[in-house]
Amino acid sequence: MEEHSDARLEERLPGEVVETYRQPDPREVVGTYVRPLPGVSPAKAPPETAPAGKKRKKTGLWIFLAVLAAAALLAVAARVLEWWRYDHTRRDRFEKYYEDYYEEDFSGEITIPTWPTGLGVELPVVREHGETLTAQEVYRLVNPSVVTVMADLGEEVGVSVGTGVIFTGDGYIVTNYHVVEGGSECLVALDTGYSYEAKYVAGDEENDLAVLKIDGEDLPAAEFGDSDLLTVGDKVYAIGNPLGVELRGTLTDGIVSAINRDVEVDGRTMTLIQTNAALNSGNSGGPLINEYGQVVGINVIKMSSSYSNIEGLGFAIPSASMDRLVDDLLAFGEIQPEPVLGIMVNLVASQLSEEVWGLEVVEVTPGSAADLAGVQVGDYVVAAGGVETLTSQALLRVRQQYHIGGEMPMTVWRDGETLEVTLKLEQSTDDVKASAGGTFRLP
């Protein structure tokens, strides 16, 4: 194990992980009229020469009113133009932001020295939690597991700085793929200031996840909780290194703004947790933490815009989906295709008897695993893989634990009776995407 002092960090020039697109802010055009102060008389103009007995014409007043009206019309027209520009360019600006975020960021092949896969390591995700903690207690509990990740991108680019989370005592770390993308060497620093040379285990660009390994023992590992237990409004925290090494270990807080938010990034859709906890460059790969001190997501995106002051739009990869993804990286070095069940079910379960609940099957794809197993429209899925299925999300989670070629047991309710069927999982979601028409419907 090679350790380095904190001075080693200061020698490395940090580079921001996120590039954002910014345009000059549009300004409002406002016409104003300033009245003379009370009690103060304006300077008198020289008297006009006019025939005796006739009133002086009010030509100056009418000119002034005309100029004022013209100024007001120009102000209104300018404002309408700004709103028109906003309405017609907002989508382009958001798309440009995401394009800049992923395409202008550091990229390239990862040549960091590697660590072998297939050693039986898994990312542990627990489904229970303890008592609610204060912000101070959350920080003391989780911060020792949060690390600074620095990837050497070469002399012309510099160093990419992000965040990571230790999830095993012997030094396995999860972070974002884009934090280490293009790196040739990687340095990981603990909150104590000691740093370690990190090895690259595996990563996946599409899901923006990577696993690193440092040579350590009895390291402080974070506990990963179940993101599916989150609801909108729940308290959450983020710990990371905003803007680089100098501010490492920064704690921010907020709430869960939305769950299962589909965000299109670089032509692909990621299903993420939305939060208003402050995230900035350098927070990438850091933990989103629930009020029980459990990591429930890995921070990945902050939305930004130049034409409007956007704040509190951060996104994290949920731990419920990371569970399978990280385990695949650890076991196979790449993400394995997910199997297809071939059914569509309702979002939430219906009560079938005093103690039985099930998800109604509303569509079965001909020739699919469910069809071949005998599942019919009108059946209710009571359990899958030995796990009770009260929501479609629960069924999806069970499916994510299986791979192509496996067999998944399922309990269905039909006409007042329970039946046990077995789905032989022979087709992947990748096959479905490539098929003409794409008729398979996932739960």
Side-chain angles (χ1 to χ4, degrees):
M1 177 176 67
E2 182 178 0
E3 299 185 355
H4 307 269
S5 69
D6 198 43
R8 173 73 178 272
L9 302 182
E10 305 300 331
E11 296 176 0
R12 311 294 293 267
L13 296 176
E16 290 191 358
V17 175
V18 181
E19 296 291 338
T20 58
Y21 169 73
R22 301 190 179 279
Q23 284 186 333
D25 293 333
R27 303 296 182 184
E28 294 185 7
V29 179
V30 181
T32 60
Y33 167 64
V34 181
R35 296 193 335 184
L37 294 175
V40 178
S41 300
K44 294 184 178 180
E48 296 182 4
T49 302
K54 292 187 178 181
K55 295 183 180 180
R56 187 176 61 185
K57 295 182 180 180
K58 298 181 179 180
T59 305
L61 176 60
W62 289 113
I63 292 176
F64 170 76
L65 291 176
V67 171
L68 184 60
L73 289 174
L74 288 175
V76 172
R79 186 59 175 162
V80 170
L81 178 61
E82 290 300 332
W83 277 108
W84 184 90
R85 290 181 63 249
Y86 164 76
D87 185 66
H88 286 72
T89 61
R90 56 185 175 182
R91 179 175 300 178
D92 291 340
R93 286 173 174 175
F94 274 109
E95 291 176 353
K96 180 63 177 174
Y97 161 72
Y98 286 123
E99 179 182 336
D100 289 345
Y101 181 89
Y102 276 88
E103 293 186 7
E104 292 186 10
D105 201 3
F106 307 124
S107 61
E109 181 183 1
I110 297 175
T111 57
I112 299 169
T114 60
W115 187 268
T117 60
L119 301 181
V121 183
E122 295 183 345
L123 172 67
V125 176
V126 300
R127 312 302 177 190
E128 301 81 23
H129 57 74
E131 298 294 327
T132 302
L133 303 179
T134 65
Q136 294 86 350
E137 290 171 333
V138 168
Y139 187 77
R140 287 195 296 267
L141 177 65
V142 182
N143 187 57
S145 306
V146 180
V147 299
T148 303
V149 179
M150 295 180 293
D152 188 354
L153 307 179
E155 294 182 359
E156 295 184 359
V157 180
V159 177
S160 169
V161 179
T163 307
V165 184
I166 301 173
F167 63 89
T168 68
D170 58 348
Y172 279 89
I173 297 167
V174 62
T175 185
N176 286 145
Y177 182 89
H178 73 261
V179 171
V180 295
E181 187 175 10
S184 58
E185 295 181 28
C186 186
L187 196 68
V188 167
L190 275 62
D191 70 315
T192 58
Y194 289 106
S195 58
Y196 303 79
E197 296 288 349
K199 300 294 181 62
Y200 178 68
V201 180
D204 184 79
E205 182 178 7
E206 182 173 352
N207 293 285
D208 209 352
L209 288 170
V211 179
L212 305 174
K213 176 68 168 69
I214 60 176
D215 188 9
E217 295 180 359
D218 299 323
L219 296 172
E223 181 179 90
F224 280 69
D226 186 0
S227 61
D228 280 349
L229 299 180
L230 292 174
T231 59
V232 174
D234 282 354
K235 187 78 171 179
V236 287
Y237 303 88
I239 301 177
N241 310 304
L243 306 182
V245 175
E246 294 81 1
L247 300 180
R248 65 183 184 273
T250 295
L251 173 72
T252 56
D253 69 335
I255 62 171
V256 174
S257 304
I259 55 177
N260 298 325
R261 179 74 81 191
D262 288 337
V263 180
E264 186 172 344
V265 180
D266 197 25
R268 67 186 186 277
T269 300
M270 300 180 71
T271 303
L272 306 171
I273 303 168
Q274 182 181 330
T275 177
N276 68 344
L279 302 177
N280 290 284
S281 302
N283 276 108
S284 295
L288 186 71
I289 310 160
N290 64 17
E291 57 187 347
Y292 310 108
Q294 298 171 319
V295 177
V296 290
I298 293 297
N299 299 318
V300 62
I301 291 175
K302 173 191 176 182
M303 188 175 289
S304 176
S305 173
S306 63
Y307 69 88
S308 178
N309 292 327
I310 294 180
E311 296 294 341
L313 287 179
F315 298 88
I317 304 170
S319 60
S321 61
M322 282 175 50
D323 189 359
R324 178 183 188 274
L325 298 174
V326 173
D327 286 351
D328 277 357
L329 293 177
L330 290 166
F332 307 105
E334 60 183 3
I335 305 299
Q336 301 298 296
E338 294 183 19
V340 168
L341 304 184
I343 58 174
M344 176 180 283
V345 298
N346 286 336
L347 293 177
V348 295
S350 302
Q351 186 170 11
L352 307 173
S353 69
E354 185 175 351
E355 298 181 352
V356 180
W357 294 71
L359 298 170
E360 184 180 4
V361 178
V362 297
E363 183 179 328
V364 178
T365 302
S368 66
D371 182 41
L372 297 177
V375 179
Q376 301 176 7
V377 173
D379 289 347
Y380 291 83
V381 179
V382 176
V387 179
E388 187 179 17
T389 53
L390 297 178
T391 65
S392 60
Q393 194 68 25
L395 179 56
L396 177 61
R397 170 183 286 171
V398 173
R399 188 204 70 179
Q400 290 174 338
Q401 307 308 313
Y402 287 83
H403 294 91
I404 303 302
E407 296 183 348
M408 188 183 81
M410 179 180 288
T411 303
V412 299
W413 173 281
R414 180 185 302 164
D415 299 329
E417 298 181 359
T418 56
L419 304 173
E420 300 294 334
V421 298
T422 300
L423 278 65
K424 296 182 179 180
L425 308 173
E426 301 296 342
Q427 192 171 21
S428 73
T429 54
D430 291 341
D431 296 332
V432 173
K433 292 176 184 177
S435 65
T439 57
F440 286 92
R441 308 298 295 273
L442 302 181

